[in-house]
Amino acid sequence: MKVGIPSEIKNNEFRVGITPAGVKDLVTNGHEVQVQVGAGLGSGIPDEAYIAQGAKMIPTAEEVWKSSEMIIKVKEPIAKEYDLLQDGQLLFTYLHLAADKPQTEALLSHNVTSIAYETVLGPNNSLPLLAPMSEIAGRLAPQVGSHFLLKANGGSGVLLGGGSGVRRGKVVVLGGGVAGFFAARVANGMGGDVTVFDVNPKRMQYIDEVTLGQVRTLFSSALAVEEAVAEADLVVGAVLIPGAAAPKLVTNEMVKNMKPGSVLVDIAIDQGGCFEDSHATTHDDPVFKVHNSTIYAVANMPGAVPYTSTYALTNATMRYAVALANKGWKEACKSVPGLIDGLATHGGKLYSPPVGEALGIDAVAPQEAL
């Protein structure tokens, strides 16, 4: 199979869809890998490293898309790439369709077979291809939050770790999944006074045990969240419903009642965000003000640390990518557990009911495509 790796063109997106090790895996299995010239430079991977493992370097994105049977990316196609989609092409990447009707319609109209990293299932309903980026986004959230808490950056001037005789910054994390857990761990490591809200008792018990009680857990009732947000210096939104739009847990009125200079970081922005006022921002212009608070809602947070992100992502995706190339999408989805749950579109039909519900498009379960 001809496998194409185009450069990412989303704002300040420096990740790339494959590492040299991933190229070697595909080439060893008899496939042709076409990488756009310069695609890996932002992640510290020169063209020569790909060539050494058998990749062909292609000058333009147009050529990569046109000549490849399968495209491996990091981020979803944006508007400039819609016309590059090929009829019947296999696309393997993050999609986050529930918050993106134009992209969904483009995939359907071009008859693309798309498999979304974020809904591929692992054991115990885990999300093995979402987890690496969720971990990195979670680790980043307290860092960017503390940056915008600085008085010079429009914040309240509160240091998360406090000082001798001075209170620590209060951090509220909404969601105890992978992103929320790592956000809580890093915030705790920075000295913050951290509380994680979740609805899963077993998950809360796990967080309590792993952090030796240093991170508090509370059941996520509307009243408890409202009270905690009002007292918070930093709120991290890390709520996830796989494949579906994120629930709005922090309302405009709740932000209005927050302390002046407080900061909110919306990790859930790829799925529409879990704050009522959230809209996607970019690394060039990452924040906006709501009342007296700052909201950070960059839709590709891990793109800020591309070296770490690219290698972590390829480590997770390559066994699936090799299976897709070796067997074709249908046989791979039959033989690799959980891969079929990533199927989003095929033959002009939508195969993700949560996306269909969010966007008002008819959809059927992915298993029906088999």
Side-chain angles (χ1 to χ4, degrees):
M1 182 180 284
K2 286 188 175 182
V3 181
I5 317 295
S7 295
E8 300 292 326
I9 62 172
K10 197 163 189 171
N11 180 276
N12 278 284
E13 181 51 76
F14 298 110
R15 290 175 288 180
V16 63
I18 201 169
T19 61
V23 170
K24 184 175 179 64
D25 286 349
L26 287 167
V27 171
T28 300
N29 277 271
H31 306 292
E32 182 179 322
V33 182
Q34 306 181 124
V35 180
Q36 186 178 345
V37 170
L41 294 179
S43 296
I45 305 172
D47 292 346
E48 292 75 16
Y50 288 123
I51 294 170
Q53 302 307 323
K56 286 186 176 181
M57 303 309 296
I58 307 297
T60 67
E62 289 77 9
E63 292 175 80
V64 173
W65 284 89
K66 187 174 182 179
S67 61
S68 300
E69 299 164 86
M70 175 166 70
I71 294 288
I72 298 176
K73 288 180 89 282
V74 178
K75 291 303 292 178
E76 71 283 350
I78 63 175
K80 292 180 181 179
E81 295 172 300
Y82 293 167
D83 288 339
L84 300 178
L85 297 167
Q86 304 295 305
D87 188 275
Q89 198 167 51
L90 175 59
L91 175 63
F92 192 38
T93 188
Y94 288 116
L95 292 173
H96 299 292
L97 296 180
D100 195 343
K101 191 168 187 177
Q103 184 204 168
T104 305
E105 291 173 337
L107 295 174
L108 293 172
S109 65
H110 285 85
N111 294 313
V112 171
T113 299
S114 61
I115 296 178
Y117 292 162
E118 71 271 14
T119 54
V120 172
L121 289 182
N124 300 315
N125 290 323
S126 61
L127 300 168
L129 304 189
L130 183 63
M133 297 304 98
S134 294
E135 176 184 341
I136 289 170
R139 289 180 183 272
L140 275 172
Q143 292 187 40
V144 299
S146 61
H147 174 77
F148 288 104
L149 277 171
L150 298 178
K151 193 68 175 179
N153 295 326
S156 61
V158 169
L159 179 65
L160 287 187
S164 299
V166 184
R167 74 167 181 88
R168 298 180 292 158
K170 292 187 177 181
V171 182
V172 169
V173 180
L174 304 177
V178 174
F181 172 64
F182 281 99
R185 283 188 62 178
V186 170
N188 178 62
M190 295 171 74
D193 180 3
V194 186
T195 303
V196 175
F197 285 83
D198 205 281
V199 294
N200 185 333
K202 289 185 178 180
R203 186 63 180 175
M204 289 187 280
Q205 182 181 26
Y206 171 80
I207 293 170
D208 184 67
E209 290 175 351
V210 169
T211 65
L212 301 178
Q214 293 181 41
V215 172
R216 285 188 299 276
T217 58
L218 286 175
F219 185 82
S220 184
S221 68
L223 178 59
V225 169
E226 181 178 353
E227 291 175 344
V229 167
E231 294 298 318
D233 297 294
L234 171 61
V235 177
V236 177
V239 181
L240 174 69
I241 300 175
K248 305 297 185 185
L249 298 186
V250 177
T251 65
N252 178 276
E253 186 65 21
M254 290 164 68
V255 176
K256 183 179 180 179
N257 293 328
M258 291 181 72
K259 293 184 287 191
S262 55
V263 176
L264 303 95
V265 177
D266 198 342
I267 298 176
I269 192 62
D270 278 326
Q271 297 295 118
C274 61
F275 308 146
E276 181 182 358
D277 296 292
S278 286
H279 63 263
T281 60
T282 66
H283 290 289
D284 278 345
D285 189 14
V287 298
F288 56 93
K289 288 284 188 180
V290 175
H291 300 301
N292 294 311
S293 299
T294 297
I295 294 182
Y296 175 100
V298 174
N300 58 329
M301 283 180 68
V305 285
Y307 177 89
T308 302
S309 298
T310 288
Y311 280 89
L313 183 58
T314 298
N315 289 345
T317 59
M318 281 318 299
R319 76 178 187 92
Y320 295 96
V322 170
L324 288 166
N326 284 349
K327 302 179 180 182
W329 76 269
K330 186 170 285 189
E331 289 305 313
C333 285
K334 289 179 180 178
S335 62
V336 180
L339 184 57
I340 185 60
D341 295 283
L343 184 68
T345 63
H346 170 67
K349 293 183 180 180
L350 182 63
Y351 286 92
S352 174
V355 172
E357 182 178 352
L359 301 182
I361 299 174
D362 291 337
V364 295
Q367 288 75 13
E368 293 192 24
L370 302 181

